[in-house]
Amino acid sequence: MKKSRWLQSILQGGAVLLLGISLAQAGERIKDLGRFGGWRDNQLIGYGLVTGLAGSGDSQRSQMTQQSLANMLKQFELSLGPDQVNSRNVAAVMVTANLPPLLEPGARIDVTVTSIGDARSLLGGSLLQTPLKGIDGQVYVLAQGALSVGGYRYDSNGNMVQKNHPTVGQIPAGGIVEQAVATSFIRDNAAELLLASPDFTTAERIAKAINRTLGGQIATPLGAGKVRIWVDASTTAGAMDLLSRIESIEVTPDERARVVVNERTGTVVAGGDVRLSAVTVVHGDLKISVVTDYQVSQPQPFIGSAGEVRTVVVPQTRMAVQEKPLPGINLKGNSTIADLVAALNRIHASPRDVIAVLQAIRTAGALHAELVIQ
């Protein structure tokens, strides 16, 4: 794979980082360009309690926490009403996780814990056993364990010290899979390859590469984002072997020419195949400065006119108009974005000017790429 070439231009008033990414690269594996239909994560969610907090949990105003704690104690034959529970060492939380495909019962996944009450910090807490359910209401994962917060918050006498975000934590490998998600990659003797970046040319190249490598006409593009592959599903081992061989086939993807501009950070990212037609750019700067000074007139009082003497504020305005010379640049046909930024650097253009010039060139029809402004 060829190295991406980059150009960093330090311009007047800030920095513009231009990245020219070459798309003329070696082939990518099909498994890096898309996924087979049925291969997807499943989002899980659950409600639980975090205990063991050092007085930083939910207050009595959080009635759901008191009710949840009372309900939990009933499982251990302790009958207490919500009004009899008073503890700031407990916090009500929501627990979320992503369940990857093909995980069998007993596998472990990471879970994220977020406070939903008025707890100040989850530092040092442990999550009690919490069932995580899918969209179908079934329990797929049980989560429990000590939280890793990565921050803290301490209050004392009205003073507060806080680092990062202490009301969100993680439990690495804190979820145990209880039920596998049924996944089917082959339906009606066919598998579908779904492209991560839909493109007609890439889909056609993938189908041709599969047919050329495996022989026959087993792959057919169904659109810009889907390729159907005929699979002999008589044996599971044979089908898995075929899909594994398909994943390792290398294909050179085709992408649209695109220029991404971030005005907040002054970053311009362009593909290596972005070209410019012959264009002339004139850069000018007209600066108008208006300054107003306020002076106070305080006359001295004199005999017989004390009631008529007043202090008066007198504004004095100065206006200056300054227009710099109009530098211009000429770009020949088939120039690149790097050539444009280098030319703008020579005339001391600011990052905002670079972005404005790119927009104007795109409007003029000389930029043959999609301009994405973030």
Side-chain angles (χ1 to χ4, degrees):
M1 182 181 296
K2 296 182 179 179
K3 296 182 178 179
S4 299
R5 59 187 183 89
W6 59 274
L7 173 65
Q8 182 176 8
S9 301
I10 305 300
L11 305 180
Q12 180 181 0
V16 168
L17 177 63
L18 174 71
L19 298 178
I21 303 175
S22 177
L23 298 181
Q25 54 188 9
E28 302 287 346
R29 296 180 304 174
I30 289 180
K31 69 184 307 179
D32 297 325
L33 299 177
R35 59 180 177 84
F36 288 108
W39 185 283
R40 49 158 293 175
D41 290 348
N42 295 274
Q43 295 180 338
L44 307 178
I45 190 171
Y47 170 82
L49 291 175
V50 171
T51 60
L53 304 176
S56 61
D58 294 338
S59 67
Q60 286 186 323
R61 295 190 301 269
S62 182
Q63 298 182 3
M64 61 179 175
T65 305
Q66 311 303 325
Q67 182 69 59
S68 300
L69 184 57
N71 294 342
M72 187 268 295
L73 293 176
K74 288 181 181 180
Q75 301 179 21
F76 301 95
E77 300 180 357
L78 293 174
S79 295
L80 296 174
D83 55 342
Q84 296 176 296
V85 178
N86 183 14
S87 175
R88 292 221 58 171
N89 296 341
V90 182
V93 295
M94 297 302 296
V95 185
T96 58
N98 281 335
L99 179 61
L102 305 182
L103 285 187
E104 296 296 329
R108 287 184 172 269
I109 62 174
D110 299 340
V111 298
T112 302
V113 180
T114 59
S115 171
I116 59 174
D118 57 357
R120 296 190 298 268
S121 174
L122 299 180
L123 179 65
S126 294
L127 176 70
L128 300 182
Q129 189 179 82
T130 303
L132 303 185
K133 301 180 180 181
I135 191 65
D136 56 0
Q138 298 188 34
V139 176
Y140 290 92
V141 171
L142 290 179
Q144 181 172 277
L147 270 69
S148 175
V149 177
Y152 57 79
R153 171 174 171 165
Y154 297 106
D155 297 315
S156 179
N157 299 325
N159 299 318
M160 182 187 72
V161 178
Q162 179 173 331
K163 178 182 179 182
N164 296 336
H165 204 73
T167 53
V168 177
Q170 277 197 334
I171 307 178
I176 301 178
V177 178
E178 296 294 324
Q179 181 182 174
V181 178
T183 302
S184 176
F185 299 103
I186 302 175
R187 297 178 181 177
D188 299 329
N189 291 327
E192 292 183 346
L193 180 67
L194 307 178
L195 274 64
S197 298
D199 184 86
F200 288 105
T201 304
T202 302
E204 183 69 23
R205 290 178 182 177
I206 289 176
K208 290 182 178 180
I210 294 174
N211 294 332
R212 182 173 58 253
T213 303
L214 302 180
Q217 296 294 322
I218 66 173
T220 304
L222 300 181
K226 184 185 298 185
V227 177
R228 175 175 292 171
I229 303 169
W230 297 104
V231 180
D232 182 7
S234 58
T235 62
T236 303
M240 293 301 102
D241 177 69
L242 177 63
L243 296 182
S244 175
R245 294 174 60 188
I246 290 174
E247 285 185 333
S248 62
I249 297 175
E250 293 189 352
V251 177
T252 301
D254 190 78
E255 296 288 346
R256 282 187 176 183
R258 183 178 290 118
V259 179
V260 180
V261 173
N262 191 316
E263 190 170 357
R264 296 185 300 274
T265 61
T267 304
V268 179
V269 181
D273 59 346
V274 176
R275 299 292 175 178
L276 300 175
S277 298
V279 65
T280 299
V281 179
V282 178
H283 171 72
D285 187 7
L286 177 63
K287 181 179 180 181
I288 301 177
S289 175
V290 179
V291 179
T292 301
D293 297 329
Y294 293 93
Q295 296 183 356
V296 178
S297 175
Q298 180 64 52
Q300 297 295 330
F302 53 89
I303 300 174
S305 60
E308 300 179 359
V309 177
R310 298 189 306 271
T311 301
V312 178
V313 178
V314 180
Q316 292 187 352
T317 302
R318 302 189 308 273
M319 179 179 295
V321 179
Q322 180 182 4
E323 184 174 8
K324 295 182 179 179
L326 297 177
I329 58 175
N330 292 311
L331 294 177
K332 298 180 179 180
N334 209 30
S335 298
T336 65
I337 297 293
D339 299 330
L340 172 63
V341 173
L344 292 174
N345 182 33
R346 290 193 296 269
I347 64 174
H348 305 290
S350 66
R352 191 177 299 274
D353 293 334
V354 173
I355 297 173
V357 167
L358 284 173
Q359 294 174 343
I361 292 178
R362 178 68 179 89
T363 303
L367 176 62
H368 306 295
E370 180 184 359
L371 185 61
V372 180
I373 301 178
Q374 297 179 339

